[in-house]
Amino acid sequence: MTTLKAKLQEDLTAAIRARDELHSSTLRLTLSAITKEEVAGKEARVLSDEEVLKVISKEAKKRREAADAFAKGGRPEQAARETAEGEFLDTYLPKQLGDDALDAIVAQAVAEARAAGAEGPRAMGAVMKIVGPKVAGLAEGGRIAASVKKALM
């Protein structure tokens, strides 16, 4: 069984051999971020696949935000590159939940929180605690929070 980090390294080697500059530079930066995360803290450690997925997700989010900033700044060629890098990193992430599936999970969590006595907008924290583990890695935090707010209104 190969780990996700090993797959990234294999894909980097393949991209370099194919002289694919976009993919090789994206993978280099992502592997660098993974290594940085591994050596952060008091002692070095090896990241699990879940932790590597979090790093990849963070890197993909950075690319999307950078693409927006470049687009607003009038640099469409750089925005297109950042978008392409983000889309490439998305291929390593699990498929995101659709809005309907996310809303259904949130509705169930709201019902659980209300059964436990949480009411109104103050129930946001309780609902987020229930929803968080169920959709970890399958939806971005902003989407989850927006869905919870909508359900609590």
Side-chain angles (χ1 to χ4, degrees):
M1 180 175 135
T2 64
T3 65
L4 186 54
K5 183 178 175 185
K7 179 169 177 21
L8 289 169
Q9 290 170 330
E10 291 169 9
D11 291 351
L12 173 60
T13 303
I16 291 170
R17 285 189 179 140
R19 299 189 189 283
D20 185 345
E21 196 275 328
L22 175 76
H23 291 167
S24 63
S25 67
T26 303
L27 288 169
R28 277 190 180 113
L29 288 170
T30 304
L31 284 166
S32 173
I34 291 168
T35 302
K36 183 178 177 184
E37 188 69 27
E38 287 178 334
V39 298
K42 295 192 184 287
E43 60 184 65
R45 61 194 171 93
V46 176
L47 297 181
S48 67
D49 279 352
E50 292 82 28
E51 292 169 316
V52 171
L53 277 174
K54 286 181 184 177
V55 173
I56 294 172
S57 176
K58 206 182 311 180
E59 290 295 309
K61 184 177 179 184
K62 282 182 192 176
R63 299 308 190 288
R64 285 191 294 276
E65 290 171 352
D68 289 343
F70 282 126
K72 288 177 184 172
R75 304 220 12 227
E77 66 286 339
Q78 193 65 32
R81 179 176 172 90
E82 293 290 337
T83 301
E85 288 180 3
E87 289 171 355
F88 174 64
L89 288 175
D90 285 341
T91 62
Y92 291 97
L93 298 173
K95 189 173 181 320
Q96 297 288 301
L97 284 176
D99 289 337
D100 295 337
L102 180 60
D103 290 341
I105 292 170
V106 167
Q108 180 185 3
V110 168
E112 288 179 35
R114 287 195 174 134
E119 281 295 324
R122 291 189 184 124
M124 179 99 176
V127 174
M128 290 297 284
K129 284 181 185 176
I130 296 169
V131 174
K134 292 180 180 178
V135 297
L138 300 176
E140 286 185 356
R143 280 186 57 216
I144 298 168
S147 182
V148 169
K149 283 181 186 175
K150 187 174 77 176
L152 289 174
M153 293 274 181

